[in-house]
Amino acid sequence: MSKSNFFISAFIKSIWIGFIVGIGSLVLYVYFVSINFLGLFGPMPSLEALENPKSEVASELYTADNVLLGKYFKENRTPVDFEKLSPNLVNALTATEDSRFEEHSGIDLRGMGRVFFKTIILGQRNSGGGSTLSQQLAKNLFQTRSALYKGKLSKGTLGKVIFKTKEWITAVKIERAYTKKEIMTMYLNTVDFGSNSFGIEVASKTFFNTTPDSLKIEEAAVLVGLLKAPTTYSPVFNPDSSTSRRNTVISQMAKYGYLTSIKADSIKKLPIALDYNVENHNKGSATYFRSLITSYLIPWCRERGLDLYSDGLKIYTTLDSKMQKYAEESVASHMKEEQRKFFEHWKGKSPWTDEQGKVIPNFIETAAKRSDRYRALKLQYGNDTVKIMKVMKTPIKMKIFSWDGEIDTLMSPIDSIKYYKHFLHCGFMAMDPHSGYIKAWVGGIDHKHFKYDHVKQGKRQPGSTFKPFVYASAIDLGYSPCYELPDLPVTFPTADVNKTWTPQNSNGEGFTGEMFTLRKAMANSINSITANLMKEIGPQVVVNNAKRMGITSPLDPVPALCLGVSDVSIYELVGAYGTFVNNGFWTEPFFITKIEDKNGNVLQEFIPKSVEVFDEETAYLMVHMLKGATEEKGGTALGLNKYGLLWNGYEIGGKTGTTQNYSDGWFMGITPKLVAGAWVGGDDRCIHFRSMDLGQGARMAMPLWAIFMKKVFADSTLGLIKERFPRPSKLSVEIDCKRYKEKSSQHSDSLQQKHQQVLPIEF
């Protein structure tokens, strides 16, 4: 062999040796990375993690009729199946992010070669990336660049190489474990599109108010364009950049044959037509309900090792989407009008007054000290109230609530508190008395600006809406609705031996001396009759029955309880009134029927508590009593006829309630299949109307109930047909008052015997 041939042979041999050593070193390096040799490279995603990849999935809250109410999330993500992906979306993603997606096995060697040659050798920018969808999925799904996967060598440029290697290895494993459709679906379900939307399902709704299967070409191109940089190419915040990026995606679709050039050119000329709406807990239906139910769900999840905000639970509630919609509409229409009246009523004056009508000194300053802003400033300035109040009185930019929409304004925190104290608030709840299903729940006038829930959190004096507990206790002892008592003063001793208490009638006209049947007395809401009855049967009996009917709030067994002086909630009252309609059984109002995991497995089904309080006869007699408000002369609910609810085939019972100084207006209404209650008043008891004409429950609360029921009755799909309350086949107590008078002597004897048999119940 000649010397030249020897050197050529040696050179070729050295190249082969170098190639083989290089390949061997690469294989060995990849192997060492895959096993985390000596802890140098950091761990890889486990086989279990690859087989069961976990991403944060929003838990979803549904109505009984399967309408999505809202979500609980850290990252707002809802998975979608491949069959629900628009071909436009799949094509746009493939053309832009991984044109050889169907050909490679996780690593695109041609793409990597292009990047190496153009970016590294020629130094060109924007020459395209070499990462496949599988590699991007590995990075997104397993967070391979996080601290969890770092090793001793995971620093600087070498660390980046190691991370990239892990993504290659993981991508290959993903390709072996899943089909191309599954990889495409997982990718689109995990990526961040910006605007608090994670995954294609949420992104489609957020930007275009549509679903992934309905995305048009131009819409799909916008969303795929966002993947490069969600903020930079946001159609909301950077519309020009978004349009340019969208057109690049469309050009890619044409390049790879998914569109004709003519079609692509025509689509590029279209403007981006957004229907933008970012989901949050202040928007959508049943916002107060959703917030309050969280207090139940969080401990429920904690006990089971679940995360409400990331485990993709499906919570099915009792709410009816249509009734909820009607309730929210009714609150909005009625409260807007009430607020108009309230502003006019107090025009130029401060509504926070004492019982003498004088403005309460330092009321706003005291309220300010309870605000979150004041507490934050106190942490900053300590007890230096001068500095704190200086900040509190300095105007700043803010959005404030109004019934005509949010207002951008310049206002000091003190003035904003003063502004908000002028607003009336409300709470409304409707329930099926037989099943206990809560059908509608509106906790206030606007959840964004007023977080406090007035259905269950809020407790106020119920006024005359508590009277049915007194009458029910009497009926249960054998009294007839026709039993008569005189409208005369009733005096009770008090704890102070030198003082007595004599309740006055609410009409301000004193006592008439007229004899009233119990039914008419309750229908007319005569205080003296209720007080007389309370004196006959005793406060403890009333408390005992109210507790059986679901009133959990403290009730003082004092004579004044007959006029509703102990605070209760709408939630409690609606449940209690349901006892009358449900044949004497109190069924606990409840709001969840079942909870499933993200795979549809039922974790728990819920059954409400039910307790027999009265027999069927007592319950029906109380229904008959409550109907008196809509049937007896002078009944406080006769105003419902203004809304076309009376004397047209619907049977309705009700009870109004008004507290001292008109601080609270109530209405409780019953129908054969629905019981509902409404409260209206100021956040503080000192904020109220100053006249019975404006401040009584029949004016403040009853119209809200009426507007709601009119909508419900008009919707035939809800099944609230014209029907009568079911009546027992036989009644031992006479309700025909003419016949009752003829039997009054015998009735009195039996009543006395039954009364003597009642024993007190301790709670």
Side-chain angles (χ1 to χ4, degrees):
M1 179 184 294
S2 66
K3 188 178 290 187
S4 61
N5 289 340
F6 174 78
F7 282 117
I8 292 172
S9 177
F11 177 72
I12 294 173
K13 186 176 181 180
S14 64
I15 290 176
W16 274 107
I17 292 172
F19 177 75
I20 293 170
V21 170
I23 293 295
S25 299
L26 179 62
V27 171
L28 191 62
Y29 161 74
V30 171
Y31 174 71
F32 281 168
V33 170
S34 68
I35 65 170
N36 188 23
F37 182 68
L38 299 178
L40 296 173
F41 305 97
M44 291 281 297
S46 66
L47 180 62
E48 182 182 359
L50 284 169
E51 292 177 346
N52 299 284
K54 182 177 180 180
S55 60
E56 292 190 344
V57 178
S59 292
E60 297 176 335
L61 201 65
Y62 288 91
T63 63
D65 49 336
N66 212 37
V67 174
L68 181 64
L69 273 177
K71 301 177 182 179
Y72 299 97
F73 54 81
K74 297 172 187 173
E75 295 180 352
N76 189 9
R77 178 186 288 110
T78 302
V80 63
D81 297 331
F82 183 84
E83 289 70 24
K84 294 184 179 179
L85 298 177
S86 165
N88 297 325
L89 178 68
V90 173
N91 295 339
L93 181 64
T94 303
T96 308
E97 296 293 329
D98 192 349
S99 61
R100 283 176 290 279
F101 176 65
E102 295 291 342
E103 302 168 15
H104 63 67
S105 297
I107 301 175
D108 182 5
L109 296 178
R110 285 175 58 186
M112 290 174 60
R114 182 193 69 244
V115 172
F116 178 80
F117 182 74
K118 290 187 176 181
T119 305
I120 298 177
I121 303 300
L122 299 181
Q124 295 180 3
R125 296 183 177 182
N126 301 320
S127 59
S131 292
T132 63
L133 288 181
S134 303
Q135 289 172 242
Q136 293 179 50
L137 177 61
K139 182 170 65 175
N140 295 338
L141 202 57
F142 301 105
Q143 299 294 307
T144 50
R145 303 192 182 197
S146 67
L148 177 66
Y149 295 107
K150 283 186 177 181
K152 296 176 182 178
L153 299 178
S154 301
K155 299 176 182 178
T157 303
L158 180 58
K160 292 179 181 179
V161 173
I162 292 172
F163 284 138
K164 197 69 177 177
T165 304
K166 289 183 180 181
E167 288 166 14
W168 291 339
I169 297 170
T170 306
V172 171
K173 290 181 178 180
I174 287 173
E175 289 275 351
R176 291 175 180 172
Y178 298 99
T179 66
K180 290 291 185 178
K181 287 183 178 180
E182 289 172 333
I183 293 170
M184 174 75 72
T185 305
M186 282 194 289
Y187 177 83
L188 285 169
N189 280 332
T190 55
V191 287
D192 179 7
F193 290 89
S195 294
N196 201 24
S197 56
F198 295 81
I200 190 61
E201 174 84 3
V202 178
S204 299
K205 185 176 181 181
T206 298
F207 290 98
F208 299 108
N209 194 25
T210 189
T211 53
D213 59 346
S214 300
L215 286 169
K216 300 174 184 176
I217 294 171
E218 59 271 24
E219 293 171 341
V222 169
L223 295 181
V224 169
L226 281 167
L227 299 177
K228 187 173 183 179
T231 301
T232 302
Y233 298 111
S234 169
V236 178
F237 306 110
N238 296 296
D240 291 339
S241 296
S242 178
T243 300
S244 175
R245 179 62 183 165
R246 178 201 68 175
N247 291 346
T248 298
V249 174
I250 292 171
S251 294
Q252 288 293 104
M253 294 178 73
K255 175 181 177 181
Y256 291 105
Y258 297 112
L259 291 176
T260 65
S261 58
I262 296 174
K263 180 73 171 177
D265 289 341
S266 66
I267 294 175
K268 289 179 184 178
K269 296 176 183 177
L270 296 174
I272 296 177
L274 289 178
D275 189 350
Y276 182 71
N277 184 32
V278 178
E279 288 188 66
N280 64 57
H281 298 297
N282 291 318
K283 294 182 179 181
S285 184
T287 48
Y288 288 93
F289 176 79
R290 284 153 44 195
S291 292
L292 194 66
I293 206 174
T294 305
S295 63
Y296 174 84
L297 291 171
I298 288 178
W300 185 91
C301 289
R302 188 185 300 119
E303 290 171 5
R304 292 157 180 79
L306 299 169
D307 189 334
L308 176 63
Y309 296 94
S310 64
D311 281 347
L313 304 178
K314 286 185 169 54
I315 303 110
Y316 293 90
T317 72
T318 61
L319 288 195
D320 182 283
S321 64
K322 290 183 179 179
M323 287 196 193
Q324 181 65 28
K325 175 175 176 287
Y326 297 149
E328 291 173 0
E329 290 173 350
S330 302
V331 165
S333 63
H334 175 66
M335 292 306 297
K336 183 176 182 179
E337 176 61 17
E338 283 298 293
Q339 193 61 55
R340 182 191 64 78
K341 294 177 184 177
F342 196 73
F343 281 151
E344 288 182 359
H345 186 69
W346 285 100
K347 189 174 183 179
K349 299 179 181 179
S350 298
W352 39 90
T353 58
D354 59 22
E355 293 187 3
Q356 286 72 46
K358 296 180 180 179
V359 174
I360 299 173
N362 301 316
F363 175 82
I364 295 299
E365 288 74 13
T366 302
K369 291 178 181 179
R370 297 194 297 266
S371 69
D372 292 337
R373 190 184 297 269
Y374 189 94
R375 293 190 186 102
L377 290 171
K378 190 170 176 61
L379 290 174
Q380 182 177 353
Y381 296 110
N383 294 321
D384 193 337
T385 55
V386 174
K387 286 185 178 179
I388 293 174
M389 292 309 295
K390 182 179 179 181
V391 175
M392 291 290 288
K393 292 179 180 180
T394 302
I396 57 175
K397 289 183 179 180
M398 64 174 69
K399 290 180 182 289
I400 59 173
F401 169 80
S402 87
W403 277 110
D404 295 318
E406 277 191 333
I407 299 172
D408 286 300
T409 187
L410 197 66
M411 183 181 286
S412 73
I414 280 286
D415 285 339
S416 73
I417 292 171
K418 187 182 298 183
Y419 171 76
Y420 282 130
K421 286 296 181 182
H422 282 77
F423 278 87
L424 290 175
H425 299 271
C426 78
F428 180 87
M429 180 181 131
M431 182 190 85
D432 180 334
H434 306 290
S435 66
Y437 283 20
I438 295 171
K439 295 292 188 177
W441 180 302
V442 184
I445 58 175
D446 184 85
H447 186 262
K448 180 178 179 180
H449 294 277
F450 307 100
K451 294 287 191 277
Y452 192 75
D453 178 83
H454 291 283
V455 171
K456 196 173 185 194
Q457 282 181 293
K459 296 184 179 183
R460 298 287 280 262
Q461 290 183 345
S464 294
T465 57
F466 195 83
K467 288 178 180 176
F469 295 98
V470 179
Y471 286 96
S473 299
I475 295 292
D476 192 48
L477 290 173
Y479 285 76
S480 166
C482 297
Y483 181 73
E484 291 185 332
L485 286 170
D487 176 20
L488 293 172
V490 181
T491 300
F492 295 88
T494 67
D496 186 342
V497 295
N498 297 315
K499 293 183 180 180
T500 59
W501 177 64
T502 304
Q504 302 298 307
N505 284 330
S506 60
N507 57 16
E509 296 177 0
F511 307 96
T512 65
E514 178 184 348
M515 297 296 291
F516 280 83
T517 67
L518 296 190
R519 187 175 194 250
K520 186 174 182 181
M522 194 173 87
N524 288 196
S525 205
I526 307 297
N527 289 349
S528 64
I529 305 294
T530 312
N532 198 330
L533 201 58
M534 176 68 101
K535 196 167 190 177
E536 287 195 20
I537 65 176
Q540 189 61 56
V541 175
V542 177
V543 170
N544 292 345
N545 284 324
K547 291 294 183 182
R548 289 193 192 97
M549 295 168 70
I551 303 298
T552 57
S553 297
L555 299 175
D556 294 325
V558 296
L561 182 65
C562 70
L563 303 185
V565 295
S566 293
D567 291 355
V568 296
S569 67
I570 294 174
Y571 174 86
E572 293 172 291
L573 279 185
V574 172
Y577 273 63
T579 307
F580 305 135
V581 185
N582 193 29
N583 299 317
F585 283 84
W586 169 75
T587 301
E588 181 184 26
F590 81 119
F591 37 75
I592 299 176
T593 55
K594 67 177 178 179
I595 299 177
E596 295 177 349
D597 66 16
K598 64 181 179 181
N599 298 315
N601 301 310
V602 177
L603 300 177
Q604 185 173 342
E605 292 185 291
F606 297 81
I607 300 174
K609 298 176 185 177
S610 188
V611 177
E612 185 175 10
V613 182
F614 303 119
D615 59 31
E616 182 184 21
E617 180 175 294
T618 296
Y620 175 75
L621 292 175
M622 277 308 298
V623 168
H624 177 67
M625 292 278 288
L626 287 165
K627 283 167 56 185
T630 64
E631 296 175 352
E632 293 277 358
K633 182 179 179 181
T636 57
L638 288 173
L640 292 174
N641 191 49
K642 174 184 176 182
Y643 301 90
L645 296 177
L646 303 183
W647 313 311
N648 61 357
Y650 294 110
E651 280 206 331
I652 293 173
K655 187 71 197 76
T656 55
T658 309
T659 59
Q660 189 174 14
N661 295 326
Y662 322 114
S663 295
D664 307 275
W666 295 80
F667 185 75
M668 303 298 301
I670 65 170
T671 69
K673 290 185 177 177
L674 201 66
V675 176
W679 167 87
V680 176
D683 251 351
D684 299 86
R685 297 174 202 258
C686 62
I687 297 173
H688 49 75
F689 283 111
R690 291 169 291 178
S691 69
M692 172 68 82
D693 185 54
L694 292 171
Q696 62 180 294
R699 298 295 177 86
M700 285 209 297
M702 190 170 73
L704 197 168
W705 188 93
I707 296 168
F708 169 76
M709 289 306 301
K710 188 173 182 179
K711 290 174 180 285
V712 168
F713 282 145
D715 189 338
S716 60
T717 65
L718 294 174
L720 270 69
I721 60 175
K722 295 180 180 180
E723 59 183 315
R724 303 179 70 82
F725 290 100
R727 174 174 175 163
S729 56
K730 290 184 179 180
L731 291 174
S732 63
V733 175
E734 184 61 67
I735 61 173
D736 183 319
C737 293
K738 289 182 179 179
R739 293 180 183 176
Y740 172 80
K741 287 184 178 180
E742 297 173 0
K743 304 176 183 178
S744 59
S745 58
Q746 297 98 329
H747 178 80
S748 297
D749 294 340
S750 63
L751 173 62
Q752 185 176 7
Q753 292 173 7
K754 186 171 183 181
H755 192 122
Q756 291 172 347
Q757 295 172 1
V758 176
L759 297 175
I761 297 176
E762 298 296 330
F763 284 88

